[in-house]
Amino acid sequence: EGVVNKRRLSAVSNDGGKTWEDVSRVVDLPDGPQDEDAFGLFGGLVRLPVRDMSVLVFSNCDSAEWRENGTVWTSEDAGRTWPHKRSIFEGSFAYSSLAAGRADTASQGLIYCFFEQTDFGPGNLHLARFNLAWLKAPVGRERPTPSPPS
């Protein structure tokens, strides 16, 4: 149905995923590049272990026509709104996956975005590391430096 519909869908389950309701389009979240020839499913999603909050982080490319401009969006209300948006990588950005650091380890409080670039070959896999404070900070603070995974 064209560019207008290239957005993520959301639904709610109150029974562990047996049934779903309240299906709606999330206008703030792209589902892959927004040109008519592209398809979605590029993004990652993780729920952060933040006490008394339902914090979600979503990663995807943020581009009208190509797999580029790696971006993360943050929701603090279980996905009802997505007020925070930050760029993590300006170059080519294809499939991505998110993970949250584990409690009581050195990774606690960190968010990891593992992603690939579209130019396949050595050096096209990257890992960006950041935290919720950076995601919520005013735009202009330094972008995380992705590094090849070790």
Side-chain angles (χ1 to χ4, degrees):
E1 293 182 28
V3 175
V4 175
N5 292 320
K6 299 239 178 195
R7 308 318 267 176
R8 282 292 168 133
L9 297 178
S10 173
V12 176
S13 175
N14 294 308
D15 58 10
K18 291 179 184 173
T19 62
W20 295 89
E21 55 190 39
D22 299 329
V23 177
S24 63
R25 188 170 316 284
V26 182
V27 177
D28 293 331
L29 302 181
D31 193 17
Q34 298 301 291
D35 64 334
E36 290 188 29
D37 294 330
F39 56 92
L41 305 175
F42 292 95
L45 180 70
V46 68
R47 183 174 188 268
L48 302 184
V50 178
R51 177 174 282 170
D52 299 325
M53 294 180 71
S54 185
V55 179
L56 299 174
V57 179
F58 175 74
S59 62
N60 208 332
C61 54
D62 188 22
S63 174
E65 297 178 356
W66 188 242
R67 298 178 186 186
E68 61 188 2
N69 302 325
T71 303
V72 289
W73 291 258
T74 308
S75 171
E76 296 177 293
D77 57 11
R80 286 186 282 285
T81 63
W82 296 86
H84 308 289
K85 173 183 170 181
R86 295 296 300 266
S87 171
I88 60 170
F89 194 75
E90 291 181 354
S92 68
F93 188 91
Y95 294 97
S96 61
S97 180
L98 290 166
R102 294 183 301 160
D104 302 321
T105 71
S107 67
Q108 182 172 336
L110 294 174
I111 303 162
Y112 300 90
C113 182
F114 182 67
F115 64 94
E116 67 175 347
Q117 291 185 270
T118 56
D119 44 341
F120 304 106
N124 79 329
L125 299 176
H126 301 277
L127 180 67
R129 180 179 65 191
F130 44 90
N131 61 28
L132 185 59
W134 178 81
L135 288 174
K136 294 171 57 175
V139 174
R141 285 193 45 197
E142 189 174 318
R143 164 183 295 111
T145 303
S147 60
S150 50

